[in-house]
Amino acid sequence: MPDRQGFFEMARGGTIFLDEIGELSPSLQVKLLRVIQERTFRRIGGAEDIKVDVRIISATHQNLGEKSRRGNFAKTFITGSMLFPFFYPH
């Protein structure tokens, strides 16, 4: 089976946009935080880590601080990544 590149590999050296990160499951939050902090990931079923150089821009309509206080979003994700909230009027 040939290796297929995922989104992070295709975005190497560029930017990837992740929409609605407030909907991520706790297990995906941990995996994404690893990519952000260590700049590595492992393909599904892979045996080795792959280094990646990518800028991640994400968005959500949810209040992640409030979700974290309620226990529905990992506080380590919020503190471990560089979040710059932008609020705009509806």
Side-chain angles (χ1 to χ4, degrees), residues 4-62:
R4 293 181 55 192
Q5 287 189 339
F7 290 117
F8 280 96
E9 288 174 283
M10 289 189 289
R12 184 172 277 148
T15 303
I16 189 169
F17 176 71
L18 304 175
D19 197 13
E20 290 304 335
I21 61 161
E23 300 293 328
L24 290 177
S25 68
S27 65
L28 280 178
Q29 292 172 34
V30 170
K31 292 174 185 176
L32 182 57
L33 185 59
R34 178 177 181 239
V35 173
I36 292 169
Q37 291 179 330
E38 298 178 19
R39 297 181 180 262
T40 63
F41 68 94
R42 186 172 293 182
R43 286 185 183 149
I44 296 173
E48 59 188 48
D49 290 343
I50 298 172
K51 286 202 149 299
V52 66
D53 177 23
V54 63
R55 178 183 312 113
I56 300 171
I57 297 176
S58 59
T60 185
H61 72 283
Q62 300 181 33

